[in-house]
Amino acid sequence: MAEVTNICGVAVYLAPDAGSDLTDRILAMPGVELGAASGEHRLALTVIDTPASLAIDQIAAMHRLPGVVAASLIFHAFDALDDEDVVECDAAECCGGPCQNSGAHARPSVD
């Protein structure tokens, strides 16, 4: 089965008196990328699973760092395969009955 990427968008708020190296420490975590920054105290990050760590573990770790006021999950998705690798299916086939998924009905192609 092909792999999917777990993608998390995270808003991080830093304390006004947080050390100047805190942002660098956060960005040094595996799977963490800076999307945007607003001043010195607000960060918009993308966090993905890596072979060494899960995104949720990185989010929890940054939340525990001294100087981090909050690290909140604001977006979550699994980035599936390229369009050519995806086969569309109907809701019954996807969910096996009444649909439990309000998103798109797609599954990896089986070769």
Side-chain angles (χ1 to χ4, degrees), residues 65-88:
L65 288 172
V68 173
V69 175
S72 303
L73 180 68
I74 56 171
F75 174 82
H76 180 252
F78 289 103
D79 187 15
L81 311 166
D82 294 334
D83 289 343
E84 66 231 20
D85 296 330
V86 174
V87 176
E88 294 294 325

Side-chain angles (χ1 to χ4, degrees), residues 40-59:
E40 297 178 8
H41 306 294
R42 293 187 291 178
L43 307 172
L45 305 174
T46 301
V47 184
I48 62 170
D49 288 347
T50 67
S53 65
L54 297 175
I56 190 66
D57 293 335
Q58 297 299 23
I59 296 167

